[in-house]
Amino acid sequence: MTDRDTRHKKAMQKRKEIVDAKVAQADEERGIVIVITGNGKGKTTSAWGTVARSLGYGYKVHVTQFIKGGWDCGERDVFANDDNLSISTMGTGFTWETQNRQLDTEACQKVWQETIPKLQNPDIHLVVLDEVTYMLKYGYMEIDELMDALVNRPENQSVILTGRAAQKQLQEYADTVSEVQDVKHAFNNGIKARKGIDW
Ligand code: ATP
Ligand code: MG
């Protein structure tokens, strides 16, 4: 073995000890709340990646798409025939397109009311609330109602919340919070959003 190989082996042994100790410490089994926030690209795609994981094991999943109703999105159609996936989609497009607070509030409330029973159903392994932070920001739904539903959800259910500027209350309650940083984005360099990549 070369010096480098020996050093690598030593470092990996140390790493294994650390990881093993952490694994031994994590002995709680329950569903978790994940917040994916930040200005960079990758929040919704991360949520759908986890949907694929859950469906892959035959778990039931519910996705509520706030905002994106007016859009096509490829990932939704991949799983369209999977009976384990249910989806609620807001009927309107982006808020800056509708420019009608009353209509947006009604559309948001409609999907939120559809979502509440999902957050009470112990058969559903994962619930995704995509772009929910904007609904809270614009006051289309109440954060207290969302917190209440999260706190009282079935023990084994996990929830993913996405959207920029996730509210402090959500971040504090969540078990996992990831912030996707906007290092650069093609769009800001004049490159059009691409089918199969951006939607
Ligand atoms: P994705 O759906 O690709 O994971 P996202 O959920 O992180 O993106 P959103 O804020 O929901 O990001 O925006 C959705 C759309 O805006 C996508 O087409 C995405 O490529 C684009 N987008 C995301 N981040 C940026 C950015 N920093 N600048 C410009 N466009 C962005
Ligand atoms: Mg998104």
Side-chain angles (χ1 to χ4, degrees):
M1 264 204 294
T2 64
D3 270 6
R4 188 168 177 193
D5 290 338
T6 311
R7 265 185 286 132
H8 180 80
K9 191 168 166 41
K10 242 186 170 166
M12 287 302 114
Q13 261 167 2
K14 213 170 195 177
R15 184 85 244 144
K16 182 170 161 33
E17 279 163 27
I18 293 168
V19 172
D20 285 352
K22 278 205 173 139
V23 170
Q25 246 176 35
D27 58 0
E28 199 182 338
E29 282 247 27
R30 64 171 173 85
I32 58 170
V33 172
I34 303 171
V35 169
I36 316 268
T37 190
N39 292 334
K41 170 179 166 60
K43 298 177 290 294
T44 297
T45 44
S46 163
W48 277 103
T50 312
V51 168
R53 281 191 173 165
S54 280
L55 291 175
Y57 287 109
Y59 289 125
K60 289 193 190 309
V61 176
H62 180 80
V63 177
T64 295
Q65 293 180 308
F66 294 100
I67 293 196
K68 245 179 192 167
W71 273 32
D72 291 329
C73 87
E75 58 267 39
R76 196 175 54 207
D77 301 340
V78 171
F79 308 111
N81 294 322
D82 193 322
D83 291 337
N84 285 327
L85 177 66
S86 55
I87 301 179
S88 301
T89 300
M90 237 170 106
T92 55
F94 287 101
T95 49
W96 47 92
E97 279 174 1
T98 54
Q99 294 167 10
N100 185 323
R101 198 164 183 278
Q102 184 64 36
L103 269 184
D104 284 345
T105 306
E106 281 167 23
C108 172
Q109 280 300 320
K110 189 166 174 284
V111 283
W112 172 235
Q113 295 307 323
E114 272 173 42
T115 307
I116 291 173
K118 310 292 181 184
L119 290 165
Q120 295 166 346
N121 183 347
D123 294 336
I124 301 181
H125 187 72
L126 172 67
V127 177
V128 174
L129 306 181
D130 191 31
E131 322 294 356
V132 72
T133 60
Y134 309 104
M135 302 299 105
L136 302 169
K137 181 179 171 202
Y138 296 129
Y140 299 163
M141 59 185 270
E142 296 295 326
I143 193 162
D144 290 347
E145 270 187 44
L146 173 58
M147 286 303 302
D148 206 50
L150 291 177
V151 169
N152 292 303
R153 77 191 194 283
E155 199 186 337
N156 291 317
Q157 185 180 84
S158 295
V159 180
I160 302 180
L161 309 152
T162 85
R164 295 178 188 201
Q167 284 69 15
K168 202 169 162 223
Q169 226 177 317
L170 295 180
Q171 296 205 34
E172 278 173 4
Y173 180 68
D175 302 286
T176 296
V177 179
S178 291
E179 187 170 356
V180 185
Q181 209 190 324
D182 183 24
V183 177
K184 57 162 120 166
H185 195 286
F187 182 73
N188 299 321
N189 214 10
I191 302 169
K192 274 191 170 176
R194 286 185 69 75
K195 187 174 179 178
I197 303 294
D198 290 300
W199 78 88

